[in-house]
Amino acid sequence: MGQGSYGSVCSAIHKPTQKKVAIKKMDGVFDDEIDCKRILREIDLLRKLNHPYVINILEVIEPANTETFDTLYVVLELAESDLKKVIKSAIHLQIKHIQTVVYNLLCAVKYLHSANVLHRDLKPANVLVNEDCSVKICDFGLARSISGLESATCII
């Protein structure tokens, strides 16, 4: 489905739920200390965040050998596209669609800020979009938690 700084993403069927999911494969997770910290920070944040417009982590697949593994697989919700692809496509969005996407995106950002999380890489490619104009903010590799997630509130 795509390639990013920290790995590649493909679609699959999640056996426990029989739903389509995205699987993010990250190779060489311990090759670079900074990259390793970003990957672990992203997983930690996603496990704590809970909002309809923020990508949901379903599971981290346990490595077969915890002593020698260097590839990590993270199972995430699947979205139909991302905002970058929608903008570049020939699809003509009506004003109502644009308003819905922007509103959903603002709700997600408000939630993140209420949780004291700064995304730091918010761009169209990191905003997943579904046909119903719902959004999912993804790619929290550069995100930072300012103080913690205990005070997070879900306001839609």
Side-chain angles (χ1 to χ4, degrees), residues 1-155:
M1 290 179 58
Q3 186 82 20
S5 303
Y6 298 106
S8 55
V9 179
C10 69
S11 64
I13 300 294
H14 190 237
K15 287 184 180 180
T17 62
Q18 293 301 306
K19 291 183 178 181
K20 284 186 176 182
V21 295
I23 299 179
K24 186 174 185 179
K25 177 185 178 188
M26 295 171 272
D27 289 313
V29 292
F30 301 110
D31 291 350
D32 182 87
E33 184 179 344
I34 293 171
D35 289 346
C36 182
K37 287 179 180 179
R38 286 180 178 160
I39 290 166
L40 293 175
R41 188 180 301 117
E42 177 178 18
I43 291 170
D44 184 51
L45 277 173
L46 287 176
R47 291 179 68 148
K48 293 174 182 174
L49 294 171
N50 181 22
H51 192 273
Y53 304 138
V54 174
I55 196 75
N56 187 26
I57 188 169
L58 301 173
E59 70 178 291
V60 177
I61 298 174
E62 186 175 334
N65 185 337
T66 56
E67 298 294 322
T68 61
F69 83 97
D70 72 339
T71 300
L72 192 59
Y73 296 90
V74 180
V75 182
L76 303 157
E77 289 179 288
L78 181 67
E80 295 165 4
S81 189
D82 65 55
L83 200 52
K84 181 179 180 180
K85 290 176 186 168
V86 171
I87 291 168
K88 287 188 168 194
S89 75
I91 297 171
H92 178 72
L93 296 176
Q94 301 295 322
I95 190 70
K96 185 66 176 169
H97 298 125
I98 296 167
Q99 289 172 332
T100 302
V101 168
V102 170
Y103 177 77
N104 291 346
L105 184 55
L106 290 172
C107 287
V109 171
K110 181 176 181 175
Y111 167 74
L112 291 175
H113 290 181
S114 77
N116 293 316
V117 172
L118 302 177
H119 188 279
R120 299 185 348 143
D121 193 23
L122 198 54
K123 59 188 178 187
N126 291 339
V127 178
L128 305 178
V129 183
N130 289 307
E131 193 174 325
D132 65 354
C133 296
S134 63
V135 302
K136 298 278 183 182
I137 294 180
C138 67
D139 196 349
F140 283 77
L142 295 178
R144 295 290 184 274
S145 176
I146 298 169
S147 66
L149 299 170
E150 296 79 28
S151 63
T153 55
C154 184
I155 301 171

